[in-house]
Amino acid sequence: MGTTPNRWAAMIRASTKPAYLAIADAIAEDIAAGRLAAEQRLPPLRALAKHLDLNFTTVSRGYAEAQRRKLIDSQAGRGTFVVPATPVPSTVVRSPAAVGLIDMTMNMPPEPQESAIHQMLRNGLGSLREVPDLHALLRYQEFGGGPADREAGARWLGERIPALPPNRVLVVPGVQSALLSLFSVLARAGETICCESVTYPGVKGLAAQLGIRLMGLPCDDEGIDPEAFGAACASLLPKALYCNPTMLNPTTVTMSQARREAIVEIARRYSVPIIEDDAYGFLPSAPPTPLAVLAPELTFHVTGFAKCVGAGLRVGYLAAPNTRYTARLASSLRTSSVMASPITTFLATQWINDGTVKQATDAIRDESRARQALARKILRRADFKADPEAFHLWLNVPPPWNRIEFSTHLRASGVGVVVSDAFTVTGPAPEAVRVCLGGISTREECLHSLEIIEDALEQIPEVASGVM
């Protein structure tokens, strides 16, 4: 491995600083002394950790600190190299919180890298130049979307809900705004809506804002427990059931066909409307039957482009059971958000019509598969739930760790995850964290992050602690 790591080992032993800072200082000193040249490749993390007799996380934090100081840079598929820049003096000391954080907290889809998809997206943006009356996109539009936009939305949703008429579809500025309107229309302050006991945290905020009580229902690997739902319907008279039945955020569980039929039968028996949050419904290559197909007279189906194109495309669609509800929801949406952005809606319609949405979704699905394969390889000894086509996973934290200590340690090591408390509605929070694979820009960075998590799982909390 050469003399450089031997010199670093001696410097680390002699330093009074934490080992990761001593690594960054050693790199800075070698650059300043000319012992490391611009664009010179540095040793791989695992090889260096073994040579220095340090754990992988410490060496990874050392490289992260050196990269934050703009001393080195990692390149996908090539490795880590010295950057041709003026080195930061080695006397500069940063706190652990200053280390660049790899954010695995936001559940965003991986961004497609294929040039053909980029060109299709650019073509859609370029089509704005061809609009005959650009000012029309800067005016107020019909609440719930114009006819062409509703037709495009109904056609796209038609892949999941066949023969869906456009007059039952509303164009909304994202799924969250649709959920706000649905909660507002279906329940009042003090009333109850049922949901999964561990569920999408956005509904917790909505319920708190509106004064609505959430009743979390126990779930297993097939979805919501039907007996618990039936008992809740009989005793609590809930105004609705909210569920995220496909690739549940955060646990990735997809409700089985038999369980969907059981839940629908109970909802019919007690006349309980169903809010089907199908944000991930287009991701599975073999998607399950939507609840809106099994119980069209009860189900409000909501989805959008945040998980199958990009989170910045704030356009979604709400399919109501009938036109009476469509009118009520349009009024609620007008009050809360006025309308979906006409410019963004124009792009959404364009991208549905020219196939861009389908191409982007296919690419996201393929990239998600690749990243889940990395997770299965790196975390092969870990206990976690994941869907091969999802871009997040649910990691059970093993003892003697607890979820708070584990997430805190990961953050100090440069990786952010979300603890289960954010998702828990009823009962104690499980010892688990959600790990998002999509927001990271490259597979190499994803691999690096998973290696940090795997290394942390192998450590003992007391040994891993950096508190002095």
Side-chain angles (χ1 to χ4, degrees):
M1 187 175 285
T3 59
T4 295
N6 293 331
R7 186 168 52 254
W8 291 355
M11 293 174 67
I12 292 166
R13 286 194 298 271
S15 176
T16 59
K17 299 177 182 179
Y20 81 95
L21 287 176
I23 292 171
D25 288 349
I27 293 171
E29 184 171 315
D30 276 6
I31 293 173
R35 290 188 289 266
L36 285 176
E39 300 185 4
Q40 182 173 336
R41 185 171 183 171
L42 298 185
L45 284 168
R46 287 199 177 279
L48 182 60
K50 183 177 181 180
H51 188 87
L52 297 178
D53 195 25
L54 294 170
N55 63 55
F56 175 86
T57 300
T58 298
V59 176
S60 174
R61 290 179 67 189
Y63 271 22
E65 172 65 13
Q67 186 164 352
R68 191 200 56 74
R69 297 185 195 180
K70 303 189 185 305
L71 301 172
I72 62 176
D73 189 29
S74 295
Q75 301 176 17
R78 295 190 61 209
T80 303
F81 295 81
V82 176
V83 299
T86 303
V88 176
S90 61
T91 55
V92 175
V93 179
R94 307 290 183 183
S95 68
V99 178
L101 185 72
I102 300 173
D103 190 358
M104 304 182 86
T105 65
M106 295 300 290
N107 210 24
M108 298 186 295
E111 296 174 353
Q113 300 300 310
E114 291 84 347
S115 58
I117 294 172
H118 282 184
Q119 190 56 52
M120 292 182 79
L121 293 170
R122 290 184 182 278
N123 289 344
L125 291 168
S127 66
L128 286 168
R129 294 194 300 266
E130 310 302 323
V131 176
D133 183 5
L134 187 58
H135 287 289
L137 298 180
L138 301 177
R139 303 183 189 120
Y140 288 110
Q141 308 290 310
E142 293 183 48
F143 301 114
D149 301 317
R150 289 192 186 192
E151 288 172 8
R155 187 165 58 255
W156 182 56
L157 291 178
E159 297 178 30
R160 303 276 288 124
I161 309 171
L164 177 65
N167 65 355
R168 282 176 44 206
V169 174
L170 294 170
V171 183
V172 297
V175 168
Q176 190 73 2
S177 67
L179 295 177
L180 173 60
S181 292
L182 284 166
F183 275 44
S184 300
V185 166
L186 295 176
R188 296 178 180 178
E191 295 180 330
T192 299
I193 290 179
C194 290
C195 64
E196 299 97 345
S197 61
V198 176
T199 194
Y200 166 55
V203 299
K204 293 175 64 178
L206 291 179
Q209 179 178 324
L210 297 171
I212 292 170
R213 178 174 178 249
L214 287 181
M215 177 60 194
L217 302 173
C219 301
D220 57 23
D221 288 343
E222 289 192 70
I224 292 171
D225 181 347
E227 289 189 10
F229 178 42
C233 289
S235 62
L236 300 176
L237 304 177
K239 294 300 180 179
L241 167 68
Y242 164 87
C243 60
N244 179 194
T246 301
M247 296 182 182
L248 171 62
N249 177 10
T251 67
T252 77
V253 167
T254 292
M255 193 182 291
S256 69
Q257 180 70 18
R259 189 63 58 85
R260 289 170 189 248
E261 292 171 357
I263 293 297
V264 161
E265 190 277 325
I266 295 167
R268 277 202 178 105
R269 188 191 316 159
Y270 290 96
S271 299
V272 175
I274 299 171
I275 302 171
E276 181 177 27
D277 182 349
D278 204 38
Y280 303 88
F282 282 87
L283 292 178
S285 51
T289 305
L291 299 173
V293 172
L294 298 175
E297 79 284 6
L298 286 176
T299 305
F300 298 85
H301 184 92
V302 185
T303 190
F305 295 127
K307 308 303 182 185
C308 60
V309 178
L313 187 60
R314 303 305 300 165
V315 176
Y317 301 92
L318 194 170
N322 54 56
T323 55
R324 179 174 61 86
Y325 267 121
T326 302
R328 288 182 62 188
L329 288 164
S331 177
S332 175
L333 284 161
R334 181 171 65 246
T335 301
S336 62
S337 56
V338 181
M339 63 183 178
S341 163
I343 293 175
T344 310
T345 302
F346 173 87
L347 286 173
T349 297
Q350 173 85 7
W351 284 336
I352 289 173
N353 292 340
D354 67 13
T356 299
V357 169
K358 184 179 187 310
Q359 293 290 330
T361 303
D362 290 345
I364 287 168
R365 184 186 302 116
D366 291 343
E367 183 62 24
S368 297
R369 286 177 184 147
R371 297 189 184 204
Q372 288 288 356
L374 287 177
R376 290 193 299 273
K377 177 181 178 182
I378 302 302
L379 303 179
R380 58 188 177 277
R381 292 187 294 273
D383 177 17
F384 68 93
K385 293 180 180 179
D387 186 290
E389 295 175 325
F391 42 78
H392 68 284
L393 58 87
W394 187 239
L395 177 65
N396 292 310
V397 176
W401 286 109
N402 64 52
R403 62 193 184 279
I404 305 299
E405 290 177 327
F406 186 70
S407 64
T408 301
H409 171 69
L410 285 180
R411 180 166 288 272
S413 302
V415 174
V417 297
V418 185
V419 295
S420 59
D421 305 66
F423 312 96
T424 303
V425 176
T426 302
E431 295 295 342
V433 297
R434 187 189 68 181
V435 180
C436 301
L437 308 177
I440 301 172
S441 59
T442 66
R443 287 187 202 175
E444 183 177 68
E445 192 174 26
C446 183
L447 173 64
H448 172 58
S449 305
L450 289 167
E451 287 176 334
I452 292 175
I453 293 171
E454 188 271 337
D455 184 76
L457 289 168
E458 297 297 317
Q459 296 189 53
I460 299 171
E462 290 76 12
V463 175
S465 174
V467 178
M468 303 296 289

